[in-house]
Structure formats: structure tokens, C-alpha cells
Amino acid sequence: MTTFGIDAECGRLIEYDTAAELRELCKSGELDGALPLGGGSNILFTGACRDLTVIHCRNTAFSIRETDNCGIVEVSAAAGCVLDTLCEQTAAAGLWGLENLSGIPGEIGGAVVQNVGAYGAELGDVVARVNCLNVKTNEFVTLTGEECRYGYRDSVFKHHPAKEQLIVTEAVLTLRRDGVPNLSYSGLKERIGRMSGLNLSPTVMRGEVMAMRNGKLPDPKKTGSAGSFFKNPVVSLEFHAEIEKRYGDRVPGHKVTDSDGLERIKLSAAWLIDKSGCKQFSAGGASLWPLQPLVIVNTEGAATGADVINLEKQIIATVRTRFGVELVPEVIHI
Ligand SMILES: Cc1cc2nc3c(=O)[nH]c(=O)nc-3n(C[C@H](O)[C@H](O)[C@H](O)COP(=O)(O)OP(=O)(O)OC[C@H]3O[C@@H](n4cnc5c(N)ncnc54)[C@H](O)[C@@H]3O)c2cc1C
């Protein structure tokens, strides 16, 4: 049930179909300490978890609703809806908003928690509200997009104490019929720029995004991974200047503004890993994807959670020594 394809055993797996069923499970105490699992595409089981209960939503439904607000369409998707299916179907319906996220594995519940992002877009940009079950109170709650406190691969869901866990049951997204393509990622803009005379639709954008992804990332059906293993580190302008001084050359990064309005620099974790000489590193059955060193792969399907952790530790230590930058994993460790 995970894209890493690493053997792991949990004590119990409960699959449910409706929010009402989830509430019943909560009432009978079944959800205490339980782990919600979506498509398992951003999670690493580091060892046996025989005391753990894993829960998974089987509901894949979604619906599209026109609103009175001209051009705006609300799309509701159950937690178990596959994100890429939603990207495909909404693009086919002529709706703008999800096309840049095409090809990201996983389900809506996981995507809402992780605030997935790619090619200049983040899911948080289009989240209107999220319906969840609060495990402590056994009550349904609705969070607005703002209340989800979205940041870079971050959300309020990641900061709730385990006992007050919020289990996502449904997300409502705001997409647009009259939207415009998001070309803020320069590589995508260049590609589209070369396609003269084309009528740019969400489906065309989706096709270009998929083509870019396929050239760079491992196909989860063939090679196990959890996508980008580390987050791109965000540092102060002063620290960036200091790293460049120490390195003796340009260290690529781009300006971002954090929640306090402060300008900071987002570095490329892939570049740091490459320039630290980690590209050839391996540990047991785990290694780095040759086309994208930010991705740790289960090389031939025989890696263990411990192999991945060993490789992760080697990379973190080497980048720290070379650049003084602390890499933080994006992938959730259990
Ligand atoms: C080849 C590949 C490429 C990838 N590319 C990208 C990319 O471009 N951009 C990007 O951002 N990510 C990328 N990822 C990472 C991953 O696909 C996303 O993070 C995805 O959204 C995870 O969704 P999931 O359903 O698989 O979640 P899981 O991995 O199952 O879970 C992730 C987290 O969400 C929690 N969770 C899951 N469902 C629920 C729920 N219903 N309620 C509460 N919590 C829940 C889990 O407990 C866990 O903490 C990639 C992964 C792979 C393998």
C-alpha cells in the first residue's frame, strides 16, 4: 500500500467507505493512535509496526458544482479520491486550477495534509474548505482554506497533537472556468512558449506537465520511491550570502516571502546533494535516482526502511559538512 514498495506490517488495517462509518469507528475507540493512510506515496515505514492500526478511506467520489459566482466552480472530493484522476477529470471539464499538479501520486486526503505542489502551484491555492473528523471529540469540523494554514509542504493537520488528530473526509476546491494558465515555473513557460498557435486549455497544460515529470521522476509502478525525499531548505538572505562565500561560487535559490513578510531564499536540495558529492551514495537496497538526486529509490525492490534511513543520514551529514545546511525530510517516517 505504499509507493516505496518496502515490506512493513501493521497490527490492523481498517478500510471504511463513509464519514458516518469513520465516526462509528471513532466512537468505539478504534481510532486511538490510528494512522490514516492515503496512497502511501509520501510515507516511509521504518520497521515493523505491529501495534499500529492503519485506516484507509475507500471512497473515491467527487462532484462538480457550478456556483452563482461567475466562472467559479466548486469541486468536492472524498478523501480516497485519487488526486491525478481529479486533475484529469477537471481538466477535461475545462476547469483551471489543478493542471500543474497532474501526475502527483496519492489521494486527496494525503494531498490536503501535505499541501502538494509542483510547477509553481500548490493544492492550498485552490482549497476552499476541508471537512474532517476530530478524533478527540468525535465531531465533524470544517476548516476554511485559511484555517488550514498552508505553507511549503505544511498545513495545520501536521501540527495537531496525535490525540486530537483531524482525519480528512472531504475537500472542497475552488476551480475556474475562466482561469488563466499558471506559467510561473520557467521551464513550463518555455515549453508552452515553443507551442505557437496552440489553443491553451487545462488539458494541454496537463499534457505538458506530465511530459516534464516523466522525463525526471521514477514511475512508481516500476521503481519504488516517495518522490522528493527532502524539502528544499529555506534560509535567510544573510545565510545564503555566507554559504556562497564559503562555497566560492553562486549557490542557486529563489526569493520567497515567509508568513511574517520576510524575504528568504529557497535553496535547491537536489543541487546541494549533487554538489556535496552524494549522487552515487547507497545503503543496502536504497540509492538515489540518477535523474533527480532528491529522490531516494528502492533500487531493485529489496530495500528496507533501515536502508533508507541509513542513506538519509549519510546525505544529511554530508550536506551539513559541505554547506552548513540542514536538510529536512519531506517524507513522513513511521
Ligand atoms: C514518484 C512520486 C512523485 C511525487 N511528486 C510529488 C510532487 O511533485 N509534489 C508533491 O508535493 N509531492 C509529490 N510526491 C509525494 C506524494 O505523492 C504527495 O505528498 C501525496 O499528496 C501524498 O498523498 P498520499 O495519499 O499518498 O498520502 P500518504 O503518503 O498515504 O500520507 C501522507 C500523510 O498524510 C496523512 N493522511 C493521509 N490521508 C489522510 C486523511 N484522510 N486524513 C488525515 N491525514 C491523512 C498520512 O497519515 C501521512 O501523514 C511524489 C511521490 C512520488 C512517489
Side-chain angles (χ1 to χ4, degrees):
M1 295 183 76
T2 69
T3 54
F4 242 127
I6 287 175
D7 283 342
E9 204 181 318
C10 67
R12 206 157 161 230
L13 171 71
I14 305 176
E15 296 198 273
Y16 60 94
D17 296 295
T18 64
E21 228 179 286
L22 183 68
R23 199 177 193 181
E24 281 307 307
L25 288 167
C26 186
K27 205 168 151 191
S28 53
E30 307 266 18
L31 299 188
D32 294 346
L35 173 82
L37 187 70
S41 62
N42 213 18
I43 209 158
L44 172 70
F45 286 89
T46 57
C49 307
R50 292 196 190 95
D51 294 333
L52 184 70
T53 298
V54 171
I55 58 166
H56 177 242
C57 173
R58 274 190 302 226
N59 187 349
T60 60
F62 72 92
S63 61
I64 296 176
R65 191 177 72 84
E66 304 290 334
T67 69
D68 297 338
N69 198 342
C70 184
I72 293 186
V73 173
E74 276 196 352
V75 175
S76 305
C81 176
V82 173
L83 174 66
D84 191 48
T85 305
L86 199 62
C87 295
E88 184 189 19
Q89 298 285 320
T90 54
L95 302 176
W96 294 92
L98 290 179
E99 60 285 350
N100 290 30
L101 305 180
S102 293
I104 300 180
E107 299 171 0
I108 275 291
V112 159
V113 170
Q114 296 296 78
N115 188 21
V116 290
Y119 303 108
E122 282 183 343
L123 188 69
D125 302 339
V126 294
V127 168
R129 25 185 211 283
V130 177
N131 298 328
C132 338
L133 180 75
N134 181 321
V135 170
K136 189 180 174 195
T137 60
N138 196 15
E139 276 169 10
F140 290 119
V141 282
T142 298
L143 270 61
T144 62
E146 204 175 312
E147 285 167 340
C148 291
R149 283 195 262 127
Y150 281 122
Y152 170 50
R153 302 295 176 273
D154 198 20
S155 70
V156 74
F157 305 100
K158 291 182 147 187
H159 301 281
H160 256 249
K163 284 194 175 140
E164 295 171 25
Q165 183 167 213
L166 294 175
I167 300 181
V168 174
T169 57
E170 184 187 49
V172 181
L173 313 176
T174 307
L175 306 187
R176 301 195 73 102
R177 276 207 189 282
D178 58 354
V180 286
N182 174 351
L183 296 173
S184 55
Y185 184 83
S186 59
L188 189 56
K189 191 176 178 181
E190 279 162 29
R191 262 186 104 92
I192 298 288
R194 288 197 291 269
M195 303 165 69
S196 60
L198 189 91
N199 186 7
L200 207 50
S201 68
T203 301
V204 169
M205 281 284 282
R206 172 178 161 79
E208 291 309 303
V209 166
M210 295 294 268
M212 284 182 79
R213 291 185 71 86
N214 292 343
K216 228 170 149 191
L217 292 165
D219 177 352
K221 289 192 198 92
K222 295 183 186 148
T223 309
S225 85
S228 302
F229 197 88
F230 299 100
K231 289 188 187 182
N232 287 319
V234 180
V235 301
S236 67
L237 302 185
E238 296 76 30
F239 189 53
H240 181 234
E242 201 181 307
I243 305 171
E244 288 198 321
K245 202 166 151 200
R246 197 179 315 165
Y247 181 60
D249 202 348
R250 238 198 113 237
V251 171
H254 66 271
K255 277 196 182 150
V256 290
T257 309
D258 71 12
S259 50
D260 303 327
L262 271 181
E263 273 198 341
R264 295 165 73 80
I265 302 282
K266 193 190 259 188
L267 304 172
S268 157
W271 186 92
L272 294 168
I273 292 168
D274 183 13
K275 297 298 171 191
S276 302
C278 303
K279 255 176 139 173
Q280 307 298 328
F281 282 12
S282 66
S287 60
L288 295 178
W289 184 241
L291 301 174
Q292 172 50 285
L294 195 49
V295 178
I296 294 184
V297 294
N298 181 356
T299 323
E300 286 174 354
T304 62
D307 292 342
V308 176
I309 298 279
N310 282 343
L311 182 54
E312 170 191 343
K313 283 187 178 156
Q314 279 184 57
I315 294 167
I316 291 177
T318 310
V319 171
R320 185 192 297 131
T321 307
R322 182 74 182 89
F323 290 100
V325 176
E326 195 68 22
L327 289 183
V328 174
E330 177 181 323
V331 173
I332 290 162
H333 293 46
I334 304 294

